[in-house]
Amino acid sequence: MEPRTPSQSPRQSSYVVDIEKADDAFGEANRQTSSSAHTTPFTSPRAPFVSPGSAAAGPLIGLKNLIERNPATVVSGRYSINLRQLFVLLLILMGLTTMWFIVNPAESFGGEGEPESLVQSAVGVSDQSRVARDPHHPHAKPHVPSPIVLEASHGLTGSAKYRFERIRGKGARTSLKKIQFQFPAETEKARLEREARLKAVRDGFEHAWKGYKTHAWGHDEVLPVSGGFKDNFNGWGATMIDSLDTLVIMGFNDEFDEALEWVKTKFSMTRNPTDQVQFFETIIRYLGGFLSTYDLTGEKVLLDKAEELGGYMLNAFQGKNFPNGRVAVQATANMPGYNFVVAEIGTIQLEFSRLSQLSGKPIYDEKARKIFEVLGSATSELPGLVPAYVQDAEGRHYSNFKAAVGGMVDSYYEYLLKEWILLDGKVPKFREMFEHAADSIKKYMVMRPENGSQEYAILGQVYSVNKKIEPDMEHLACFMSGSFAMGAKYFDRPDDLVLARQIAQGCYLGYRHSGTGLGPEATQFTSSTYPGKFIPDADKFFNPLLSRKDYILRPETIESLWILYRLTGEKKYQDQAWEIFQSLEKSCRTPIAYSGLRDVTSPGSHDNRMESFFMAETMKYLYLMFSTPDVISLDDFVLNTEAHPIIRI
């Protein structure tokens, strides 16, 4: 698909109406009104857009005709008016004044820096004024949240309209059943609250983006406390590429166009062709980012970059079924691997399958499926579960290992389900592998509090030999709540939805009781003498002496809360996500961007890091939590492990 031109905002209509030409002006306005109103489950049908000039012309035309038809006068001049007509004139002027303020609500007179049109307000083109941003300014008015019409497409044209429609699933097709909750119409109070939260999240992303642009443009990460940048993910601009689809989803059209220009003119993967880059991170951040943003925008340069990158990533295979964990752009600089991390080889399937769909080259999909076939042929002491390190051999039996759903294995289980979804359920083996894994996770890993509460649970780590469980759960493992929830809906496993809620609550409680409202990298609990039980800390929920207390702006808890909200419609998940966002604002926001914490029990312990996934995942999931549910619907998209939405076709 060829690139489209950026959208243009409609010109401001003139409020000065020539009464001699009013008939023509109003007639033309009538011929140019909008077509059918846009409606979502959260909005009511809208009337066609009428410009302020057209609205003003109608009463004046009636006045002109009235005057010319009545010869009896009390006021002489070019036109004559009698008492009855004067009374009618006053009524018309009162109506005209009312019409003026309907067409131009009070917030549109905000002064310098405010949106210049309804379209600009809809897509957030301009910033708020300094007065509006500073509540202590002497001229600041009391803050009253005003509606933001992010779901309105009036006046959008070209590429902006395409993006608007695409993030709402235009062109998506699937034969699988719909799983997203059918949301009823919102109350006015609920809409205002949701939109105020949505705007706050959007403003937070904008703050981080500006910090990146100022201090680290074109580099991998911004240093949010000291300023400057860090290049630790190939030096190709990880935050830039990882954030492209977030810019599109949030309606930052100008910012996206500027970033796209950088991709066209500056992005390069060949500056250091012999460097050994991380295969896994390159796939999920760069390839996922290019493919997703192409799906949302149709900008051909993004598909070109994805194809170029995909070709380089084939260098990792070196004649084997499994790719090496390190790969070089230059083919001769690569070596075969021998011991493989299961998450690294089991988290390329969405990206490679989609690349085959778009490029017409089956090699990527074939490579991706072969990995799952080899892993699916394995057996283990925990059916369906595999260790963190696996070997490239069919029919392998794994024993004497420690099973978990955290780092090094997590996204393999995630992609078993998501690859089945992307391929429209046409590979039953992937569903079978996911369900076998889910059954063993439920049987061997679920731990509950010793006090008997059924409100929450954690996923511990289990030894395959003796099935002993340790009450230790990494933040990364919180994704499993969302996977259980989606599997429950697709495969009619209602008990899995109950468990999904309990796991999500356990992850949320790690945030709520930490001291900063943010969750630690790994929660560890005091062991119980009862099998499958643990003892929560009376103060922090997790044991602060045993747990890893750093927080690196991870998204997995928010991700699962979002999935549960979209599947159940329960507002409590929005409220929990809002608490987490407020904690981010309080403890992680810096003058430049957002920083992780070295210790979630110690406010202000910034680590001066903001990985690209904060803008790709954490802020995106928060935004989607408060958007209308037609934006990146779970029925239209499947999201990769870096939250890059891939359209289902």
Side-chain angles (χ1 to χ4, degrees), residues 295-538:
D295 273 348
L296 298 181
T297 67
E299 296 287 353
K300 187 176 182 299
V301 65
L302 300 173
L303 180 56
D304 292 341
K305 296 297 183 183
E307 288 196 65
E308 180 187 358
L309 178 55
Y312 297 144
M313 293 299 100
L314 291 177
N315 292 338
F317 288 86
Q318 294 295 300
K320 289 182 171 288
N321 294 318
F322 292 174
N324 197 354
R326 294 280 176 168
V327 60
V329 168
Q330 183 175 306
T332 57
N334 291 274
M335 295 186 302
Y338 297 96
N339 210 22
F340 304 90
V341 175
V342 71
E344 292 181 352
I345 65 171
T347 314
I348 72 169
Q349 283 66 27
L350 291 181
E351 295 83 358
F352 268 33
S353 292
R354 184 61 178 141
L355 184 55
S356 280
Q357 291 174 347
L358 291 171
S359 68
K361 299 175 182 177
I363 186 171
Y364 302 106
D365 184 62
E366 290 168 357
K367 293 285 189 183
R369 293 199 198 196
K370 185 61 178 179
I371 293 170
F372 273 3
E373 288 174 10
V374 174
L375 292 173
S377 72
T379 58
S380 84
E381 294 173 327
L382 301 169
L385 303 182
V386 293
Y389 288 94
V390 293
Q391 285 72 51
D392 188 354
E394 296 196 44
R396 179 86 184 195
H397 179 75
Y398 294 104
S399 60
N400 195 24
F401 65 94
K402 188 176 182 179
V405 290
M408 303 175 71
V409 294
D410 50 348
S411 45
Y412 162 63
Y413 300 118
E414 176 187 0
Y415 271 37
L416 288 175
L417 173 62
K418 289 184 173 181
E419 179 76 345
W420 178 85
I421 296 171
L422 181 66
L423 299 180
D424 207 36
K426 292 181 172 59
V427 186
K429 178 66 175 178
F430 298 161
R431 169 181 175 172
E432 176 187 322
M433 292 169 67
F434 174 79
E435 291 195 274
H436 283 172
D439 289 341
S440 284
I441 291 169
K442 290 168 62 178
K443 182 176 181 180
Y444 298 111
M445 292 187 185
V446 175
M447 301 188 73
R448 303 186 187 281
E450 190 180 77
N451 62 16
S453 173
Q454 295 296 308
E455 179 189 4
Y456 58 90
I458 67 168
L459 296 177
Q461 301 184 18
V462 59
Y463 291 93
S464 66
V465 174
N466 57 17
K467 311 303 185 284
K468 180 182 177 182
I469 320 175
E470 293 181 348
D472 188 354
M473 181 176 179
E474 294 182 16
H475 191 290
L476 285 165
C478 290
F479 89 92
M480 196 66 212
S481 167
S483 292
F484 268 126
M486 289 194 295
K489 290 290 186 177
Y490 276 119
F491 308 140
D492 298 318
R493 295 166 59 108
D495 289 347
D496 286 7
L497 184 58
V498 174
L499 179 59
R501 295 174 186 270
Q502 294 169 337
I503 296 169
Q505 185 67 11
C507 293
Y508 163 72
L509 290 175
Y511 277 70
R512 185 172 186 180
H513 297 291
S514 67
T516 58
L518 299 165
E521 180 69 4
T523 53
Q524 192 162 337
F525 300 86
T526 303
S527 297
S528 169
T529 56
Y530 298 97
K533 304 292 184 181
F534 67 94
I535 303 172
D537 186 81

Side-chain angles (χ1 to χ4, degrees), residues 605-649:
S605 58
H606 292 142
D607 65 5
N608 199 27
R609 288 287 308 278
M610 187 182 83
E611 284 207 41
S612 66
F613 59 64
F614 175 70
M615 299 176 74
E617 299 186 72
T618 306
M619 294 301 282
K620 183 184 293 159
Y621 283 127
L622 284 166
Y623 182 86
L624 292 175
M625 180 69 86
F626 303 113
S627 70
T628 53
D630 59 334
V631 177
I632 311 298
S633 168
L634 290 173
D635 293 326
D636 297 324
F637 293 89
V638 57
L639 282 74
N640 87 335
T641 197
E642 193 79 2
H644 294 307
I646 297 172
I647 200 161
R648 296 159 63 179
I649 56 170

